[in-house]
Every structure is written in C-alpha cells, then in structure tokens.
Amino acid sequence: MPTEETLVLVKPDGVARGLAGAILARIEAKGYALVDIKLVEPDRDILEQHYAEHEGKPFYEPLLEFMMSGPSVAIRLAGNRVIEGFRSLAGTTDPTTAAPGTIRGDFGRDWGLKVQQNLVHGSDSPESAARELGIWF
Ligand code: DAT
Ligand code: MG
C-alpha cells in the first residue's frame, strides 16, 4: 500500500502551552514521518478555506478567532494509513470526553464550552488531506 499523507496542526493552545514537543514526540513514536513542518500564523483567508465545511455553524466565528490567536505548527505527515491513524492518536473532538491515552484525552483541558481548544487538527479523509495540504503548504 502506498504511503499516505495528512495535514496535522498543533493548534494555538498546544503551542502556547508548550506542548508542541510532547505532541511531536507521540507522532514520532508512532513511526510517522515528518515530511515538512513549519510555524504558521494563518490569516482569515486560509482559515475560511480550511474550515469551509463549518461556515454558518455557531462555533465557526469563535473557531476562526481562536485559530488567529497565535501560531500553529503545520505538519505534512506521512505513514501507513496515517489519516485514520493520526485521528485515532488525537482522540475525539471534545477533549472533555476524549479517551485517556490520546493527545486530546491526556493534554486537553476541560474548558467548558471551548471545544475548539483541542490541541490538534488532523485531516479526516484523503480528499480533505489533499485539499488541506494545498492550503497550508
Ligand atoms: P475535528 O477537529 O475532530 O475534525 P470537526 O472537524 O468536527 O472536528 O470540527 C472542527 C473544529 O471545530 C474542532 O476541532 C473544534 C471545533 N468544534 C467542533 N464542534 C464544536 C462544537 N460543538 N462546539 C465548539 N467547537 C466545536
Ligand atoms: Mg475536522
């Protein structure tokens, strides 16, 4: 099976809390390859493209504001079934209920309604990965 690629972001809360290294260590321990990596302060245009599927939802504006609150680490990550595998490593969207052993479950703080502060992003399909990698890289 050919190696797959995905877009991973360590979001502003992860960078601000000094967790980028710990999150990268888990990614590397899993055996995934860092193909490209950079610190990015995305403008609104990039985020509107990235989160187009969520436009109009109640959390859309707070999500964009949060994503513009500081730098993120953008990673082009490669590996066998890395799209599915990284999302498993990340845990479910809400850090309050994400399973222990996952990035969101272990490092995600209980911020009440601030579900967006869930440390990482990972593409959810091959189509999303190709689209999102084109936006960020
Ligand atoms: P994921 O990041 O797990 O793929 P998603 O694509 O459904 O989740 O949503 C994108 C981001 O939007 C998510 O990481 C956090 C935020 N979000 C999603 N659902 C939310 C909600 N109900 N309330 C607040 N923020 C939410
Ligand atoms: Mg998503």
Side-chain angles (χ1 to χ4, degrees):
M1 176 179 280
T3 297
E4 194 171 73
E5 286 190 345
T6 193
L7 174 76
V8 170
L9 301 175
V10 179
K11 295 183 179 181
D13 55 333
V15 175
R17 290 174 57 200
L19 292 171
I23 291 168
L24 280 171
R26 289 183 175 213
I27 290 170
E28 291 187 301
K30 182 81 178 173
Y32 296 139
L34 306 175
V35 178
D36 204 349
I37 182 166
K38 62 181 176 181
L39 200 66
V40 191
E41 292 199 59
D43 59 21
R44 193 179 167 95
D45 180 57
I46 284 181
L47 295 167
E48 284 179 352
Q49 292 179 56
H50 179 76
Y51 283 124
E53 66 177 303
H54 296 304
E55 194 187 349
K57 294 180 184 172
F59 60 84
Y60 178 74
E61 282 298 331
L63 177 62
L64 263 53
E65 289 297 321
F66 162 63
M67 291 296 291
M68 289 188 288
S69 69
S72 289
V73 179
I75 305 158
R76 181 187 289 272
L77 194 68
N80 179 47
R81 295 174 66 194
V82 67
I83 295 171
E84 190 182 3
F86 176 76
R87 284 180 67 88
S88 175
L89 205 59
T92 51
T93 304
D94 186 345
T96 300
T97 50
T102 66
I103 292 167
R104 288 164 169 171
D106 288 351
F107 299 137
R109 286 182 180 163
D110 187 351
W111 287 98
L113 295 175
K114 294 185 178 175
V115 175
Q116 71 262 29
Q117 298 188 356
N118 60 1
L119 296 159
V120 290
H121 167 84
S123 309
D124 64 10
S125 68
E127 296 71 28
S128 299
R131 192 182 72 82
E132 293 171 0
L133 284 166
I135 293 168
W136 291 83
F137 285 96

